[in-house]
């Protein structure tokens, strides 16, 4: 009897640890996506003002590094459901569709990495066209349409 109680206690502790890990992943994912949005805003402001885009290269590289980790930042336990939907701590807008279509999510990730590589090349040359910026933003938006709740 005592062994069963200890096993049940261990399972409960692991369950709580899993929930804490899921919340940490949600916070990390949210911070990374927020950073991507801020970088895209900075790129847009620089393009609009016809500024030199070379200074944006490190930020674009950071976006690429984050996007490479993104598939690992969406474990099943961090998706809606089972997490309550929203933007508060412990909540997420990432849809469970990610889990049911991991291959599609990976394809979107790869497409974003390709778009960011083009954006980086253009930034290194000192000139990002408005069309390239729109195209890159569209790549972000395509993932949102399929895998993010509004």
């Amino acid at each position: 009897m005592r062994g069963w109680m200890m096993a049940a206690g261990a399972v409960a502790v692991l369950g709580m640890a899993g929930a804490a890990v899921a919340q940490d992943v949600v916070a990390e994912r949210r911070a990374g996506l927020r950073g991507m949005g801020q970088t895209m805003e900075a790129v847009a402001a620089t393009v609009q003002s016809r500024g030199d885009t070379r200074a944006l290269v490190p930020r674009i590289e950071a976006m690429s590094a984050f996007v490479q980790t993104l598939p690992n930042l969406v474990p099943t336990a961090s998706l809606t459901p089972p997490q309550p939907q929203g933007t508060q701590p412990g909540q997420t807008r990432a849809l469970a569709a990610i889990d049911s279509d991991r291959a599609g999510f990976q394809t979107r990730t790869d497409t974003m990495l390709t778009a960011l590589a083009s954006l980086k090349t253009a930034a290194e040359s000192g000139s990002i066209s408005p069309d390239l910026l729109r195209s890159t933003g569209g790549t972000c938006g395509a993932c949102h349409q399929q895998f993010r709740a509004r």
Side-chain angles (χ1 to χ4, degrees), residues 10-11 17 37 79 81 94 129 146:
V11 168
L79 299 172
S129 72
Q146 188 173 358

Side-chain angles (χ1 to χ4, degrees), residues 2-44:
R2 184 174 179 193
W4 284 104
M5 290 176 62
M6 289 179 66
V11 168
V13 167
L14 288 175
M16 288 186 289
V21 168
Q23 288 182 10
D24 290 346
V25 169
V26 169
E28 185 178 347
R29 183 173 67 222
R30 184 175 289 139
L33 292 169
R34 188 169 291 129
M36 282 184 65
Q38 292 168 344
T39 297
M40 289 299 288
E41 289 173 5
V43 171

Side-chain angles (χ1 to χ4, degrees), residues 20-73:
V21 168
Q23 288 182 10
D24 290 346
V25 169
V26 169
E28 185 178 347
R29 183 173 67 222
R30 184 175 289 139
L33 292 169
R34 188 169 291 129
M36 282 184 65
Q38 292 168 344
T39 297
M40 289 299 288
E41 289 173 5
V43 171
T46 303
V47 169
Q48 186 174 15
S49 69
R50 295 190 172 106
D52 185 0
T53 59
R54 287 181 277 249
L56 297 168
V57 171
R59 291 182 75 174
I60 296 168
E61 289 172 338
M63 279 177 46
S64 292
F66 171 74
V67 170
Q68 287 175 340
T69 68
L70 191 55
N72 296 325
L73 295 176

